[in-house]
Amino acid sequence: MKRVVVALGGNAILETDPTATAQKKIVQDTAESLADLLTDEMELVIVHGNGPQVGNLALQQAESDSVENPAMPLDTCVAMTEGSIGYWLVNALTNAFEKRKIKRNAAAIITQVEVSLSDEGFTHPSKPIGPFLTEAEAQARMKGSDVLYVEDAGRGFRKVVPSPKPITIKESKTIQLLLENGVVTVAGGGGGIPVVRSENELKGIEAVIDKDLAAEKLAELIEADTLIILTGVANVCVNYNQPNQKALEAVSVSEVEQYIKEGQFAPGSMLPKVEAAVQFVKNKPTNKAVITSLDNLKNLMDDGAGTVVVQKEQVTVR
């Protein structure tokens, strides 16, 4: 079977309307596209983001914080959104499968991702979460507090939190068993729940792991063949938002690494996606990584449209 890991962004699920109804509608549309992607020979894992959702939940927790109803820590908020979005996805996939008479089950698994306390992500917060704000709104929230807001890819200002890199995924073998039994598996939601090893125990820690790096680590551990990272654009671009902007199509690992050195990709936005794609392809020469949009998924399957990262390939730009 061809083993595929698809990483779906949290921003793709929450666009402008944060209600459960609106987010579930987007998840349903996503499930329809993923069901069309599925073949009898494919083993599929879906990793989803939760940046807007966990940020909104953290705000809700802070607003209602009291002795009787204390706010939950960030790692627990990650788990809560992993559960809610996982439920939406499994429910939507189940319905999409039944509509197509696909005899497959879907399941979501709570996923712990081990990180290191010495990771520089704890000293240099970079992961955007929560809603987009104007610069004035961000400045007002930072005043007199230790929270940090930064501009996010020209779309507004967002709160940033520690984002350590994943070391390993504790449930990877369980996920592999599910796949071997034909179960379409939702795992590593929100990048997984960050845990650190302390005195031979795993303990949760306040952070949000980038879902693309977690998807790559999971793909590596379960020996996937293809990593598909879904984002808001059909292609990765260099010289983004400039007159000489170029969209990458087929691109080699060495070319992407050069673009990373040039600072072509925004940290906390496109950079983790291209880093994850490069790392996955470097693990094994036959691996393939794709970065594209959900809307472009059919074109990807039909003729390879999107940004495709391979070991060695001539770059095509348009």
Side-chain angles (χ1 to χ4, degrees):
M1 278 195 177
K2 189 166 186 172
R3 189 166 287 178
V4 178
V5 174
V6 173
L8 172 69
N11 286 315
I13 299 171
L14 197 169
E15 293 179 337
T16 54
D17 186 343
T19 63
T21 300
Q23 292 184 73
K24 285 166 71 175
K25 176 61 172 67
I26 294 172
V27 168
Q28 287 163 7
D29 294 341
T30 302
E32 296 286 339
S33 296
L34 293 174
D36 289 337
L37 171 72
L38 192 64
T39 65
D40 290 341
E41 295 76 28
M42 184 184 294
E43 295 176 342
L44 179 62
V45 181
I46 302 163
V47 177
H48 63 80
N50 72 343
Q53 294 85 357
V54 76
N56 286 354
L57 179 58
L59 288 173
Q60 293 168 2
Q61 292 285 316
E63 286 293 323
S64 62
D65 185 33
S66 66
V67 175
E68 296 80 14
N69 186 26
M72 293 294 105
L74 189 54
D75 59 311
T76 301
C77 289
V78 171
M80 292 164 74
T81 52
E82 184 177 70
S84 60
I85 299 173
Y87 151 60
W88 292 341
L89 275 166
V90 168
N91 178 261
L93 287 166
T94 300
N95 291 334
F97 293 166
E98 289 182 357
K99 186 189 301 183
R100 291 164 176 76
K101 301 190 185 306
I102 296 173
K103 294 182 179 179
R104 300 282 286 273
N105 291 320
I109 182 167
I110 296 297
T111 315
Q112 300 175 93
V113 178
E114 188 174 346
V115 300
S116 170
L117 272 176
S118 61
D119 191 294
E120 64 177 13
F122 286 108
T123 54
H124 298 92
S126 64
K127 180 62 179 174
I129 65 171
F132 290 92
L133 305 177
T134 65
E135 185 173 4
E137 289 171 330
Q139 291 290 348
R141 292 198 182 188
M142 285 191 289
K143 190 174 182 180
S145 72
D146 58 357
V147 298
L148 178 63
Y149 284 78
V150 300
E151 195 270 337
D152 182 5
R155 297 173 293 179
F157 285 73
R158 298 175 76 192
K159 180 180 177 180
V160 289
V161 298
S163 184
K165 288 184 167 55
I167 297 172
T168 192
I169 295 174
K170 303 312 295 180
E171 289 76 19
S172 61
K173 292 189 183 302
T174 304
I175 293 164
Q176 202 156 357
L177 283 172
L178 288 169
L179 293 175
E180 289 168 358
N181 284 277
V183 179
V184 174
T185 306
V186 180
I193 304 159
V195 294
V196 294
R197 189 163 292 280
S198 174
E199 298 178 354
N200 295 320
E201 287 185 348
L202 289 176
K203 296 181 179 179
I205 191 165
E206 294 223 3
V208 173
I209 301 166
D210 183 87
K211 72 99 179 34
D212 297 311
L213 298 182
E216 188 286 322
K217 179 58 68 175
L218 179 58
E220 175 188 328
L221 291 170
I222 66 173
E223 299 184 342
D225 306 291
T226 303
L227 172 64
I228 301 175
I229 298 173
L230 298 178
T231 184
V233 293
N235 293 78
V236 177
C237 293
V238 293
N239 305 318
Y240 183 68
N241 269 347
Q242 299 177 35
N244 60 339
Q245 175 176 305
K246 294 178 181 179
L248 303 178
E249 294 180 347
V251 59
S252 69
V253 165
S254 60
E255 293 284 350
V256 177
E257 289 180 325
Q258 180 58 40
Y259 289 135
I260 291 173
K261 287 179 182 177
E262 294 172 6
Q264 288 279 359
F265 310 118
S269 179
M270 189 57 76
L271 180 59
K273 294 172 175 55
V274 295
E275 286 180 332
V278 165
Q279 184 58 45
F280 180 67
V281 175
K282 287 175 77 171
N283 284 334
K284 193 166 67 173
T286 56
N287 283 354
K288 181 173 72 173
V290 181
I291 303 174
T292 193
S293 64
L294 180 67
D295 292 341
N296 198 50
L297 200 54
K298 186 178 187 306
N299 295 328
L300 167 67
M301 304 314 296
D302 290 345
D303 57 22
T307 297
V308 182
V309 181
V310 292
Q311 193 72 261
K312 292 181 180 179
E313 183 60 77
Q314 180 66 38
V315 176
T316 304
V317 297
R318 57 176 171 81

